[in-house]
Amino acid sequence: MSLTIYLSGEIHTDWREQIKLGINASNLDITVLTPVLNHENSDNIGNEILGDEENPFWKDHKSSKINALRTQNAIKKADIVVIKFGDKYRQWNAAFDAGLAAGLGIPTIILHQPQLIHPLKEVDAASMAVAQNPEQVVKILKYVCQN
Amino acid sequence: MSLTIYLSGEIHTDWREQIKLGINASNLDITVLTPVLNHENSDNIGNEILGDEENPFWKDHKSSKINALRTQNAIKKADIVVIKFGDKYRQWNAAFDAGLAAGLGIPTIILHQPQLIHPLKEVDAASMAVAQNPEQVVKILKYVCQN
Amino acid sequence: MSLTIYLSGEIHTDWREQIKLGINASNLDITVLTPVLNHENSDNIGNEILGDEENPFWKDHKSSKINALRTQNAIKKADIVVIKFGDKYRQWNAAFDAGLAAGLGIPTIILHQPQLIHPLKEVDAASMAVAQNPEQVVKILKYVCQN
Amino acid sequence: MSLTIYLSGEIHTDWREQIKLGINASNLDITVLTPVLNHENSDNIGNEILGDEENPFWKDHKSSKINALRTQNAIKKADIVVIKFGDKYRQWNAAFDAGLAAGLGIPTIILHQPQLIHPLKEVDAASMAVAQNPEQVVKILKYVCQN
Amino acid sequence: MSLTIYLSGEIHTDWREQIKLGINASNLDITVLTPVLNHENSDNIGNEILGDEENPFWKDHKSSKINALRTQNAIKKADIVVIKFGDKYRQWNAAFDAGLAAGLGIPTIILHQPQLIHPLKEVDAASMAVAQNPEQVVKILKYVCQN
Amino acid sequence: MSLTIYLSGEIHTDWREQIKLGINASNLDITVLTPVLNHENSDNIGNEILGDEENPFWKDHKSSKINALRTQNAIKKADIVVIKFGDKYRQWNAAFDAGLAAGLGIPTIILHQPQLIHPLKEVDAASMAVAQNPEQVVKILKYVCQN
Amino acid sequence: MSLTIYLSGEIHTDWREQIKLGINASNLDITVLTPVLNHENSDNIGNEILGDEENPFWKDHKSSKINALRTQNAIKKADIVVIKFGDKYRQWNAAFDAGLAAGLGIPTIILHQPQLIHPLKEVDAASMAVAQNPEQVVKILKYVCQN
Amino acid sequence: MSLTIYLSGEIHTDWREQIKLGINASNLDITVLTPVLNHENSDNIGNEILGDEENPFWKDHKSSKINALRTQNAIKKADIVVIKFGDKYRQWNAAFDAGLAAGLGIPTIILHQPQLIHPLKEVDAASMAVAQNPEQVVKILKYVCQN
């Protein structure tokens, strides 16, 4: 079965690369979509393209909406959304993506370390699997896609 | 116009009470829904009703799903979801609720202090208003409901 | 919070009465919907109203569709569907109702004895709570509805 | 007309192979999706990938959800869901799939022996055809797909 | 269970009155919606309110759309649509209403004499019951609504 | 723009061939779907595949549902549904298809002679164009698809 | 039949009052929803409640979103949306409301003078009636609601 | 990420050509859909194909609906709708398209000069980006589509 997946969340580690490598190594028929992964570029894209905002709220607002053109389209195209939470940053956008997927009826796999179990309980409870590392995600995808 | 609103997020301050008082003071035709606000009760409800789990993951899992029976029904019944973010805790469930409302096409009002603008940029960008205090939320509701 | 629930499944024990008594005892704001509980009546209703069929397939077919006018409308009106599985009979209609609720995005509570865990694993996995007796269901409803 | 079908239900007979052979023999433009057919593998996949659970309920729970990532995506992609019921096992997951397809508005063909007519009456009544053997299913598919 | 029904189709016999009398006689909790039953009024309403059209196509067009404001809203509000076919007139609007209900996922009861079985086969096949007289429809409604 | 169209209605004239020829002549990027056009085959398909029914109602019922597997899937896949009404037969299935398309939000083109304007007024009023001959339908499709 | 209507568009004439008076005079069971009709208040509400913006784009942005909390909820609650276009101002918000209603499947009545026929052709073509004065709208509503 | 976009609005300047050139220059994987851009042809298409109407209202009506077969299908197929507003003409169809996209949940980019900020405030507030020239739109698309 061919699938489209979207990899949401943490952008300062290489977990997406590990999943892509695993998908390629197993030759799975999976299209992988991601957000823009250049943090600085994604934060400034509104000002860069549409002109400067002095007020940081509107600067963030413009950039976030341009990013949403990509991320929300990618989530709608996905059969499964994989979301990675880490210790750094608040990652409210990752939890927002999990909720958005739930509202659209798209199943999720959540990826995080055991110490985050309690704060992520509602997000985990709405998901189809909770993994601790990218290898487990690849194994799930391999199982799900097998012929 | 009569409305139903759901008040999601932070549970350790009295912001919901302030909004309810404001709604009553202005005699607005608004039904207010909330999650269960007793933190300990809401964390333990799975074990309490359905029996003990030793593994904290499944304890959280059972409680979260029972809470979801209430919160997700409340969000679906709401015309507007108001979500408060604070400095304490990670509040990924609040961001999840914002995403869920977006996926269901229900508009949101986000409530937070200015120092959270950057981490909340995606959540704010998907909302209809960003307020800094409960009084502003009441004013918006009063404006929206007026005859 | 007021709720509408539908009680699906097993019809030869008094579990629905126990839930209704519990709801009344706790004065919960819950509307309870049920299928027609007279087994013989529900099996024969097609022939009775619309005329005899000799072929048992079409006799069942006509009755099932008239019952579906009630059960499927009730499921669509419900905020929560509670489904009881027992040892007797195959109860494929109960599992069908669980799937229908899932397809419509309506959350379920499943009620069954521990010995049915393995055959019900897919149904349980799609639910928000798995209870073993009607008292637990009442406790969940009481928790979910509290003001 | 090209179609995608999903073959749900009984996994201990070769009915799926017969349907696939019939589709190939008639050169029909049909993509066939199935669940994972290795029973043991599908029962244990949760523990295998995500770690052991001692409690059989949670073991089943984890496996069922990983399988649901495959089966529910396959049902959503299908134009027609074919569901086979047999005498062995309770097959509540098969009836769940029939309900899920109904809730999503996807038509079903039900496949079973005449002795199961009465217990399957609600499932049959919600379907577009009730066949007794794989050859009949292939004939229906051939008729439906013809140019 | 309270229900809303819409009575579509044939307007030159008193079948709607018979159903309403039966509902009242049995004290059923059913709201009955109907199209405008004055044939001449319904044919001319476009010209009457919005001004004359010489071209009969546009005269019909304007009237049909004003009638659709009533009939399509009524169908959307209905839990069950009852549609009566007779020998007179072509009644394509009745068959259109049956299709519209099917597209919206609202179940139908079809009412007609046995001689119309063949031309109505597709409409009947998409319905939940096929009755021959208003008494049968009342009996179905009484069965479906019982407490 | 590439399109998929479904040609519903009258099966005893060659209007579908004329439209297909026109589409080919203009080299339009249009996929054409149709019902099974062999009248006798389509009437008997239920009995032929699934076994004899003596009661003509159930014979029609089984055939109609097998045909619906094709026609309803084709309508859901279509961007535009073209429906031809003629003088012969009652063609309630054609009007049903028009209603189904309306309920699913798929636009229609209706094709009929001027003498049918009054009985088709509700069907025409719900359509995007009313043509009198296949050439006009081809011209509309050519206009709609142009680059 | 009881109805909810939303009156969108032109706010500098008294057309809404005329429609409300007509509804009251005929004692129709219609709930009337409107936008906030105080132009200045509606333009400034963002700055007033949420604090000043110097940039007129963001001032307009904040006010428009607060107004959308009212107008989009009102449109979703409406069975019929009535939209008045006049000569003054560009009224792109009125045309936006017409499109929003179309996207949500809610029927519209458009109200305008004959000189606007050409620029409003797409909006009119998507509506169920085009009236020239409030009296005609009241007559349509009276016809649609009659018992 | 591959995307489909629809370019709505102003047809008397070459903004669509500029966007297409930019897309080609950057080799983006974007399918571009547009309305028919020959103004006279699009105004007269109804009369041309389906026969003359003397009343300009019905002439416009027939043409608008044929155009809607193209434009509404294109909007439904689009991942992003770009809408250009200019000073000339009232462009109510452009604002209608923006509302239709909003009702269907499809994100928009609005393109206009700063002097139109106030009249377009509701349309802009419902969009994901407001650009002033085609180059900015191309930059956004390039950012959104990057691998």
Side-chain angles (χ1 to χ4, degrees):
Chain A
M1 191 165 67
S2 72
L3 287 176
T4 298
I5 66 172
Y6 177 68
L7 304 181
S8 169
E10 199 182 69
I11 64 173
H12 57 286
T13 64
D14 70 343
W15 69 279
R16 282 183 188 81
E17 280 317 301
Q18 293 183 51
I19 288 179
K20 286 182 189 176
L21 285 171
I23 287 172
N24 288 342
S26 293
N27 223 3
L28 305 180
D29 187 6
I30 295 181
T31 303
V32 180
L33 304 175
T34 69
V36 170
L37 299 174
N38 180 325
H39 196 156
E40 203 179 346
N41 186 213
S42 113
D43 271 6
N44 297 327
I45 191 66
N47 275 13
E48 261 174 44
I49 297 179
L50 297 175
D52 284 352
E53 297 290 334
E54 291 188 12
N55 184 333
F57 180 85
W58 297 118
K59 183 198 164 203
D60 278 342
H61 193 80
K62 289 202 302 188
S63 293
S64 295
K65 285 196 161 175
I66 291 176
N67 282 296
L69 279 172
R70 177 180 174 108
T71 59
Q72 295 186 12
N73 262 310
I75 289 175
K76 283 183 202 159
K77 288 176 192 292
D79 298 304
I80 298 172
V81 177
V82 182
I83 307 165
K84 170 84 166 75
F85 289 86
D87 261 335
K88 277 197 191 165
Y89 308 116
R90 291 175 182 268
Q91 296 191 277
W92 281 323
N93 61 325
F96 179 86
D97 282 356
L100 182 62
L104 296 170
I106 300 167
T108 53
I109 298 172
I110 310 301
L111 180 52
H112 63 80
Q113 290 302 304
Q115 59 267 29
L116 294 180
I117 283 177
H118 192 63
L120 277 170
K121 61 186 181 298
E122 290 89 357
V123 174
D124 285 353
S127 76
M128 298 308 260
V130 179
Q132 293 184 20
N133 54 60
E135 293 74 38
Q136 291 177 323
V137 175
V138 172
K139 282 181 187 166
I140 292 172
L141 295 172
K142 192 173 174 179
Y143 175 81
V144 169
C145 283
Q146 70 186 265
N147 286 322
Chain B
M1 190 164 66
S2 71
L3 286 177
T4 298
I5 65 171
Y6 177 68
L7 304 181
S8 169
E10 198 183 70
I11 64 173
H12 56 283
T13 64
D14 70 342
W15 69 279
R16 284 184 187 81
E17 281 318 300
Q18 293 182 52
I19 288 179
K20 286 183 188 174
L21 285 171
I23 286 172
N24 288 342
S26 294
N27 224 4
L28 305 181
D29 186 6
I30 293 181
T31 302
V32 180
L33 303 175
T34 69
V36 170
L37 299 173
N38 180 324
H39 195 157
E40 202 180 347
N41 186 212
S42 114
D43 271 7
N44 298 325
I45 191 64
N47 275 13
E48 262 174 43
I49 297 180
L50 297 175
D52 283 354
E53 296 291 335
E54 289 188 13
N55 184 331
F57 181 84
W58 296 119
K59 183 197 163 201
D60 277 343
H61 193 80
K62 289 204 301 189
S63 293
S64 296
K65 284 196 162 172
I66 291 176
N67 282 296
L69 279 172
R70 176 180 175 110
T71 58
Q72 295 186 12
N73 263 308
I75 289 174
K76 283 184 202 158
K77 289 175 191 291
D79 299 304
I80 297 172
V81 177
V82 182
I83 308 166
K84 169 83 164 75
F85 288 86
D87 262 333
K88 278 195 190 165
Y89 308 114
R90 290 175 183 266
Q91 298 191 276
W92 280 322
N93 61 323
F96 179 86
D97 283 356
L100 182 61
L104 297 169
I106 301 168
T108 54
I109 299 171
I110 310 301
L111 179 53
H112 64 78
Q113 291 301 303
Q115 59 267 31
L116 295 179
I117 283 177
H118 191 63
L120 279 169
K121 60 186 181 301
E122 289 89 357
V123 174
D124 285 353
S127 75
M128 299 306 262
V130 179
Q132 294 184 20
N133 54 60
E135 293 73 38
Q136 289 177 324
V137 175
V138 172
K139 282 181 188 165
I140 291 173
L141 294 172
K142 192 173 175 179
Y143 176 80
V144 168
C145 283
Q146 71 185 266
N147 286 323
Chain C
M1 189 165 67
S2 72
L3 287 176
T4 297
I5 65 172
Y6 177 68
L7 304 181
S8 169
E10 199 184 69
I11 64 173
H12 56 283
T13 64
D14 70 342
W15 69 279
R16 284 184 186 81
E17 281 317 300
Q18 292 182 52
I19 288 179
K20 286 184 187 173
L21 285 172
I23 286 172
N24 287 342
S26 293
N27 223 4
L28 304 180
D29 186 6
I30 294 181
T31 302
V32 179
L33 302 176
T34 70
V36 170
L37 299 174
N38 181 323
H39 196 157
E40 204 180 345
N41 187 212
S42 114
D43 271 6
N44 298 326
I45 192 65
N47 276 12
E48 261 174 44
I49 297 180
L50 296 176
D52 284 352
E53 296 291 334
E54 290 187 14
N55 185 332
F57 180 85
W58 297 119
K59 183 196 163 203
D60 277 344
H61 194 80
K62 289 204 300 190
S63 293
S64 296
K65 284 197 162 173
I66 292 177
N67 282 297
L69 279 172
R70 177 180 175 108
T71 57
Q72 294 186 13
N73 262 309
I75 288 174
K76 283 185 203 158
K77 290 176 190 292
D79 298 305
I80 298 172
V81 177
V82 182
I83 306 166
K84 169 83 166 75
F85 289 84
D87 262 333
K88 278 197 191 164
Y89 308 114
R90 291 176 182 266
Q91 297 192 277
W92 280 322
N93 62 322
F96 179 87
D97 283 357
L100 183 62
L104 297 169
I106 301 168
T108 54
I109 298 172
I110 310 300
L111 179 53
H112 63 79
Q113 291 301 304
Q115 60 267 30
L116 295 179
I117 283 177
H118 191 63
L120 279 169
K121 59 186 182 299
E122 288 89 357
V123 175
D124 285 354
S127 76
M128 299 307 261
V130 179
Q132 294 184 19
N133 54 60
E135 294 72 39
Q136 290 177 324
V137 175
V138 172
K139 281 180 188 166
I140 292 172
L141 294 172
K142 191 172 175 180
Y143 175 81
V144 169
C145 283
Q146 72 186 266
N147 286 323
Chain D
M1 190 164 65
S2 71
L3 287 176
T4 298
I5 65 171
Y6 177 68
L7 304 181
S8 169
E10 200 182 67
I11 64 173
H12 57 284
T13 64
D14 71 343
W15 69 279
R16 283 184 186 81
E17 281 317 300
Q18 293 183 50
I19 288 180
K20 286 184 189 175
L21 285 172
I23 287 172
N24 288 342
S26 293
N27 223 3
L28 305 179
D29 187 6
I30 294 181
T31 302
V32 180
L33 303 175
T34 69
V36 170
L37 299 174
N38 181 324
H39 197 158
E40 203 178 346
N41 187 212
S42 115
D43 271 8
N44 297 327
I45 192 66
N47 276 13
E48 260 173 44
I49 297 179
L50 298 175
D52 284 352
E53 296 290 334
E54 290 187 14
N55 185 332
F57 181 84
W58 297 118
K59 183 198 163 201
D60 277 343
H61 192 79
K62 289 203 302 188
S63 293
S64 295
K65 285 196 162 174
I66 291 176
N67 281 296
L69 280 172
R70 178 180 173 108
T71 58
Q72 295 186 12
N73 263 309
I75 289 175
K76 283 185 202 159
K77 288 176 192 291
D79 298 305
I80 298 174
V81 177
V82 182
I83 308 164
K84 170 83 166 74
F85 289 85
D87 262 333
K88 278 198 190 164
Y89 307 114
R90 292 176 181 266
Q91 297 192 275
W92 280 323
N93 61 324
F96 179 86
D97 283 356
L100 182 62
L104 296 170
I106 300 167
T108 54
I109 298 172
I110 310 300
L111 179 53
H112 63 80
Q113 290 302 303
Q115 58 268 30
L116 294 180
I117 283 177
H118 192 64
L120 278 169
K121 60 187 182 299
E122 289 89 358
V123 174
D124 285 353
S127 76
M128 299 308 260
V130 179
Q132 294 183 19
N133 54 59
E135 293 73 38
Q136 290 177 324
V137 175
V138 172
K139 283 181 187 164
I140 291 172
L141 294 172
K142 193 173 174 180
Y143 175 81
V144 168
C145 283
Q146 71 187 266
N147 287 324
Chain E
M1 188 165 69
S2 71
L3 287 176
T4 298
I5 65 171
Y6 177 67
L7 304 181
S8 169
E10 198 184 67
I11 64 173
H12 57 284
T13 64
D14 70 344
W15 69 279
R16 284 184 187 81
E17 281 317 300
Q18 293 182 52
I19 288 180
K20 286 183 187 173
L21 286 171
I23 286 171
N24 288 342
S26 293
N27 223 3
L28 305 180
D29 186 5
I30 294 181
T31 302
V32 180
L33 304 175
T34 69
V36 170
L37 298 174
N38 180 324
H39 196 156
E40 203 179 347
N41 187 211
S42 114
D43 271 6
N44 297 327
I45 191 66
N47 275 13
E48 262 175 42
I49 296 179
L50 297 175
D52 284 352
E53 296 291 334
E54 290 188 13
N55 184 332
F57 181 85
W58 297 118
K59 183 196 163 203
D60 278 342
H61 193 80
K62 289 203 301 188
S63 293
S64 296
K65 285 197 161 172
I66 291 176
N67 281 297
L69 280 172
R70 177 180 174 109
T71 58
Q72 295 187 13
N73 262 309
I75 288 174
K76 282 185 202 157
K77 289 175 192 290
D79 298 305
I80 298 172
V81 176
V82 182
I83 307 166
K84 170 84 166 76
F85 288 85
D87 262 333
K88 278 196 191 165
Y89 307 115
R90 292 174 181 267
Q91 297 192 275
W92 281 323
N93 61 323
F96 179 86
D97 283 357
L100 183 61
L104 297 169
I106 300 168
T108 53
I109 299 172
I110 311 300
L111 179 53
H112 63 79
Q113 291 302 303
Q115 60 268 29
L116 295 180
I117 283 177
H118 191 65
L120 278 169
K121 61 187 182 299
E122 289 90 357
V123 174
D124 286 353
S127 76
M128 299 307 261
V130 179
Q132 294 185 19
N133 54 60
E135 293 73 37
Q136 290 177 323
V137 175
V138 172
K139 281 180 187 165
I140 292 172
L141 294 172
K142 192 173 174 180
Y143 176 81
V144 169
C145 283
Q146 72 187 266
N147 287 323
Chain F
M1 191 164 66
S2 71
L3 286 176
T4 297
I5 65 171
Y6 177 67
L7 303 181
S8 169
E10 200 182 67
I11 66 173
H12 56 284
T13 64
D14 71 343
W15 69 279
R16 283 184 187 82
E17 283 316 301
Q18 292 183 51
I19 289 180
K20 285 183 189 174
L21 286 172
I23 287 172
N24 288 341
S26 293
N27 222 3
L28 305 180
D29 186 5
I30 294 181
T31 302
V32 180
L33 303 175
T34 69
V36 170
L37 299 175
N38 180 324
H39 196 158
E40 202 178 345
N41 186 211
S42 114
D43 271 7
N44 297 327
I45 193 66
N47 276 13
E48 259 173 46
I49 297 179
L50 297 175
D52 283 353
E53 297 290 334
E54 290 187 14
N55 184 332
F57 180 85
W58 297 118
K59 185 199 161 199
D60 278 343
H61 194 80
K62 289 203 300 189
S63 293
S64 296
K65 284 196 163 174
I66 291 176
N67 282 297
L69 280 172
R70 178 180 173 109
T71 58
Q72 295 186 11
N73 263 309
I75 289 175
K76 282 184 203 160
K77 289 176 192 290
D79 298 306
I80 298 173
V81 177
V82 182
I83 308 165
K84 169 83 166 75
F85 289 86
D87 262 332
K88 278 197 190 164
Y89 308 114
R90 291 175 182 266
Q91 298 191 276
W92 280 323
N93 61 323
F96 179 86
D97 283 356
L100 183 62
L104 297 170
I106 301 167
T108 54
I109 298 172
I110 311 300
L111 179 54
H112 63 80
Q113 290 302 303
Q115 59 267 30
L116 295 180
I117 283 176
H118 192 63
L120 278 169
K121 60 187 182 298
E122 289 90 358
V123 174
D124 285 353
S127 76
M128 298 308 260
V130 180
Q132 293 184 21
N133 54 60
E135 293 72 39
Q136 290 177 323
V137 175
V138 172
K139 282 181 187 165
I140 292 172
L141 294 171
K142 192 172 174 181
Y143 176 81
V144 169
C145 284
Q146 72 185 265
N147 287 322
Chain G
M1 190 165 67
S2 71
L3 287 176
T4 298
I5 65 172
Y6 177 67
L7 304 181
S8 168
E10 198 184 70
I11 64 173
H12 57 283
T13 64
D14 70 344
W15 69 279
R16 284 184 188 80
E17 281 317 301
Q18 292 182 52
I19 288 180
K20 286 184 187 174
L21 286 171
I23 286 172
N24 288 341
S26 293
N27 224 3
L28 305 180
D29 186 6
I30 294 181
T31 302
V32 180
L33 303 175
T34 69
V36 170
L37 299 174
N38 180 323
H39 197 157
E40 203 179 346
N41 187 211
S42 114
D43 271 6
N44 297 327
I45 191 65
N47 275 12
E48 262 174 43
I49 297 179
L50 297 175
D52 284 353
E53 297 290 335
E54 290 188 13
N55 184 332
F57 180 85
W58 296 119
K59 184 198 163 201
D60 277 343
H61 193 80
K62 289 204 301 188
S63 293
S64 296
K65 284 197 162 174
I66 291 176
N67 282 297
L69 279 172
R70 177 180 174 108
T71 58
Q72 294 186 12
N73 263 308
I75 288 175
K76 283 185 202 159
K77 290 175 192 290
D79 299 304
I80 298 172
V81 176
V82 183
I83 308 165
K84 170 83 165 76
F85 289 85
D87 261 335
K88 278 194 190 167
Y89 307 115
R90 290 174 182 266
Q91 296 192 275
W92 280 322
N93 62 323
F96 179 86
D97 283 356
L100 182 62
L104 297 169
I106 300 168
T108 54
I109 299 172
I110 310 301
L111 180 53
H112 64 79
Q113 291 302 304
Q115 60 267 30
L116 295 179
I117 283 177
H118 191 64
L120 279 169
K121 61 186 181 300
E122 289 89 359
V123 174
D124 285 353
S127 75
M128 299 306 261
V130 179
Q132 294 183 20
N133 55 59
E135 293 73 38
Q136 290 177 324
V137 175
V138 172
K139 282 182 188 164
I140 291 172
L141 294 172
K142 192 174 174 179
Y143 175 81
V144 169
C145 283
Q146 72 186 265
N147 286 323
Chain H
M1 191 164 66
S2 72
L3 287 176
T4 298
I5 66 172
Y6 177 67
L7 304 181
S8 169
E10 199 182 70
I11 64 173
H12 56 285
T13 64
D14 70 344
W15 68 280
R16 283 184 188 82
E17 282 317 301
Q18 293 182 52
I19 288 179
K20 286 182 188 176
L21 286 171
I23 287 171
N24 288 342
S26 293
N27 223 4
L28 305 180
D29 186 5
I30 294 181
T31 302
V32 180
L33 303 176
T34 69
V36 170
L37 299 174
N38 180 324
H39 196 158
E40 203 179 345
N41 187 212
S42 114
D43 272 6
N44 297 328
I45 192 66
N47 276 12
E48 259 173 47
I49 297 179
L50 297 175
D52 284 352
E53 297 289 335
E54 290 187 13
N55 184 332
F57 180 84
W58 297 118
K59 184 198 162 201
D60 278 343
H61 193 80
K62 288 203 301 189
S63 293
S64 295
K65 285 196 161 174
I66 291 176
N67 282 296
L69 279 173
R70 178 181 174 108
T71 58
Q72 295 186 11
N73 262 310
I75 289 174
K76 283 183 202 159
K77 288 176 193 290
D79 298 305
I80 298 173
V81 177
V82 181
I83 307 165
K84 169 83 165 75
F85 289 85
D87 261 334
K88 277 197 191 164
Y89 308 115
R90 291 175 183 265
Q91 296 191 276
W92 280 323
N93 61 324
F96 179 86
D97 283 356
L100 182 62
L104 296 170
I106 301 167
T108 53
I109 298 171
I110 309 301
L111 179 52
H112 63 80
Q113 291 301 303
Q115 59 267 31
L116 295 179
I117 283 177
H118 192 64
L120 278 170
K121 61 186 181 301
E122 289 90 357
V123 174
D124 284 353
S127 76
M128 299 307 261
V130 179
Q132 294 184 20
N133 54 60
E135 293 74 38
Q136 290 177 323
V137 175
V138 172
K139 283 180 186 166
I140 292 172
L141 294 172
K142 193 173 174 180
Y143 176 80
V144 168
C145 283
Q146 72 186 265
N147 287 322

